[in-house]
Amino acid sequence: ERKPAKKAFTFLMRAGSRSEYRAFIKQHEDFLRQNPGPADADRKRPLQMLEAAGIECALWPDLYWDSDHCETVIRATDVRRLQRRGLLDEGDEDEEDVGRGSIRRSFLRKILGPILDYAADYQLLQFIFDLCLWSDIGAKRHVQPQLSMRIMLKGCTFTPAYWAQRHAAVLDLQRQCGYPILFKTWAPYEWSAPYHAALLHDLAALLRSRQHLAGSETLHLAHVMVELLREWVAGGTRKHGEQSSTWKSHALAATLPGGQRCRINFAARLEFQDGKRKQASQQYHGR
């Protein structure tokens, strides 16, 4: 294993501008020269390192051998960010060449792609989550500095203001349709939950057991629960102008005395819970 590792190291060090690996190796060597025998406090990097363009090349060189694959680079080269910094004029915007970057969309493509290790690395998943959170808060903070953060973050799902809006929408639904007649809580039993053949293949290929493939399992279980509620229970979503839904014999199917089919209105919330209720920290990020 030592020979392939040396070969990979040589490849990354010679990658030039295609990879930021060599730049971070140089920073590391400079730090060690300036701080012989550093203490824990000296080794702690500032929080801004989270957004350093191409830092994934240093942390996961086996997955990010090219800087263009890095979510931090996609974030840094977003056309809106370049315009705010004066590096790109609005008249020069060419979305085909520069484009609007999306950290979430880029990482989802990797999770659903042919390289299984993106979905298997929990630390990478947590890094992307922290980067998205950092980007959301930072963008809201600098775009409209005269407004309070409470107002700017009301569209983010992790804020009380977001759920206050959803609560108001549910109350409006209740006023129009009456009190709900059914409350249902679902929780997946991962050990026997219906897993797609592709997901079972990924688990076997990576020598993982259930609950140890964070990215793919989370997406799969969330998709299954949402679709079961929306289709099998409620009969399918209905767009404006449609007269009938796809499902005819769903779980709550009913026919009114006049022969008209009963329409189902529902409100659902998808949560992640691990049942520990611990204090929030870097080791535990809650639900």
Side-chain angles (χ1 to χ4, degrees), residues 180-252:
I181 60 173
L182 177 65
F183 293 90
K184 182 67 175 175
T185 300
W186 286 356
Y189 190 68
E190 290 86 351
W191 293 272
S192 62
Y195 275 18
H196 193 274
L199 187 54
L200 295 175
H201 169 269
D202 294 351
L203 290 171
L206 294 168
L207 302 179
R208 301 289 182 92
S209 61
R210 296 195 178 206
Q211 300 192 72
H212 290 87
L213 194 59
S216 301
E217 282 189 276
T218 301
L219 291 175
H220 176 76
L221 290 173
H223 174 74
V224 168
M225 288 195 294
V226 170
E227 291 302 311
L228 279 175
L229 171 65
R230 186 167 58 185
E231 306 293 334
W232 178 60
V233 173
T237 56
R238 181 176 305 176
K239 298 180 181 179
H240 295 290
E242 292 184 359
Q243 299 299 323
S244 61
S245 59
T246 305
W247 285 66
K248 306 296 182 183
S249 58
H250 47 281
L252 298 181

Side-chain angles (χ1 to χ4, degrees), residues 12 17-20 57 61 63-70 73:
L12 291 171
S17 59
R18 289 187 57 193
S19 174
E20 297 295 330
C57 294
L63 298 177
Y64 293 92
W65 62 90
D66 192 320
S67 297
D68 290 340
H69 299 167
C70 299
V73 173

